[in-house]
Amino acid sequence: MKRIVILTGAGMSAESGLKTFRDSDGLWENHNVYDVATPDAWHRDPALVLNFYNDRRKQVLEAKPNKAHLALAKLEEKYDVNIITQNIDDLHERAGSTHVIHLHGEVNKARSSVDPTLVYELDNWEMKMGDTCEKGSQLRPHIVWFGEAVPMIEKAIPIVEMADVVIVIGTSLSVYPAAGLVNYAPPFAEKYYIDPKELEGKNIYDFKIIKEKAGVGVPDLVEQLIK
Ligand code: APR
């Protein structure tokens, strides 16, 4: 079976109603990302950070997978598919994709602030001050913040290196190490980049550019690949 590796970013979920990061003047849902998505922010005002992610979690719970998520899940009928996403939502999983790596964490999980191996599935939208892990420390969102290590990148690199087809969808390729994954795609692989905006100065010169929204470009490409 041919191997398809898909790298997704915020644009993938835009048509499900979830905002991208860099399409709105550097603000993310009215916050400067450094006030809510850094270890400093967490130390300064953990309640603000918990509330911010509670709002994100509520939005994700209300959102539905869009046509592009559903099309990618269909690829599994014919291909060995791995999705590597920068997104913290679970829309790929809810669309039916079975191999999804979250580079930047998952909004519907919490983890211990003293032991990163203690990760918990949340059963509702709300995390509160005073919610603790089994070692008694405050729970934090299971998110990779700016300035933190990206442990899943080690798992992602060899998957990209084995790809026959690489599809990059809805990412500005501006945050590393995620953006650097395109450099691990084998030279012989078929490569596609789907995004309505032109990307300049990124290392995707051997990608076929499909200048479309995910909801249009992804189902079209999937149909072509399945034929
Ligand atoms: N379909 C496809 N792409 C779209 C759509 C759409 N409907 N709407 C917007 N886009 C594209 C934009 O043109 C842009 O290139 O999605 C991309 C979104 O880029 P960013 O906002 O920079 O998001 P992303 O690349 O995922 O950001 C990476 O940065 O803030 C951190 O951790 C956060 O995971 C995030 C990381």
Side-chain angles (χ1 to χ4, degrees):
M1 235 185 196
K2 272 195 169 182
R3 297 190 172 103
I4 299 193
V5 176
I6 298 152
L7 310 177
T8 65
M12 181 78 208
S13 298
E15 289 154 88
S16 295
L18 304 177
K19 276 209 181 130
T20 62
F21 301 93
R22 289 169 189 80
D23 290 323
S24 52
D25 304 328
L27 292 183
W28 180 22
E29 296 289 357
N30 301 322
H31 287 271
N32 177 323
V33 289
Y34 297 101
D35 292 338
V36 288
T38 61
D40 271 359
W42 175 246
H43 291 302
R44 206 170 38 238
D45 194 346
L48 172 86
V49 174
L50 287 184
N51 279 335
F52 177 78
Y53 283 100
N54 284 342
D55 286 345
R56 304 285 71 71
R57 195 171 301 114
K58 256 195 249 177
Q59 278 181 350
V60 167
L61 283 171
E62 284 160 12
K64 290 198 180 76
N66 63 46
K67 282 189 225 159
H69 295 106
L70 296 168
L72 291 182
K74 251 184 97 184
L75 273 178
E76 294 192 13
E77 291 167 11
K78 283 247 175 122
Y79 293 91
D80 174 348
V81 181
N82 280 282
I83 297 182
I84 301 168
T85 186
Q86 296 165 83
N87 298 344
I88 59 174
D89 64 61
D90 60 350
L91 296 178
H92 284 303
E93 290 91 337
R94 277 156 56 196
S97 289
T98 56
H99 295 104
V100 185
I101 291 180
H102 288 268
L103 292 174
H104 295 162
E106 293 166 79
V107 77
N108 53 7
K109 292 184 180 168
R111 78 165 183 263
S112 161
S113 47
V114 293
D115 180 348
T117 66
L118 297 176
V119 176
Y120 305 90
E121 194 98 34
L122 292 165
D123 52 16
N124 71 58
W125 61 272
E126 194 174 22
M127 283 179 75
K128 295 196 273 295
M129 292 302 291
D131 290 349
T132 54
C133 74
E134 64 216 56
K135 293 187 175 171
S137 84
Q138 175 65 43
L139 286 176
R140 57 165 277 178
H142 182 47
I143 300 288
V144 174
W145 287 322
F146 286 98
E148 293 190 314
V150 181
M152 295 308 273
I153 200 79
E154 301 305 329
K155 200 171 163 193
I157 290 170
I159 291 175
V160 178
E161 284 174 333
M162 299 286 284
D164 299 300
V165 181
V166 176
I167 309 172
V168 179
I169 306 163
T171 169
S172 62
L173 290 177
S174 49
V175 170
Y176 286 80
L181 280 174
V182 292
N183 301 325
Y184 291 91
F188 58 79
E190 268 176 63
K191 303 178 185 100
Y192 302 90
Y193 176 79
I194 304 176
D195 195 295
K197 243 193 222 163
E198 200 111 359
L199 249 201
E200 277 163 22
K202 303 288 176 187
N203 191 13
I204 54 164
Y205 56 88
D206 57 346
F207 279 64
K208 180 167 188 280
I209 309 290
I210 301 174
K211 211 173 156 199
E212 296 276 9
K213 287 187 171 180
V216 174
V218 176
D220 281 358
L221 178 60
V222 165
E223 198 180 321
Q224 194 185 309
L225 290 168
I226 280 182
K227 255 186 203 158

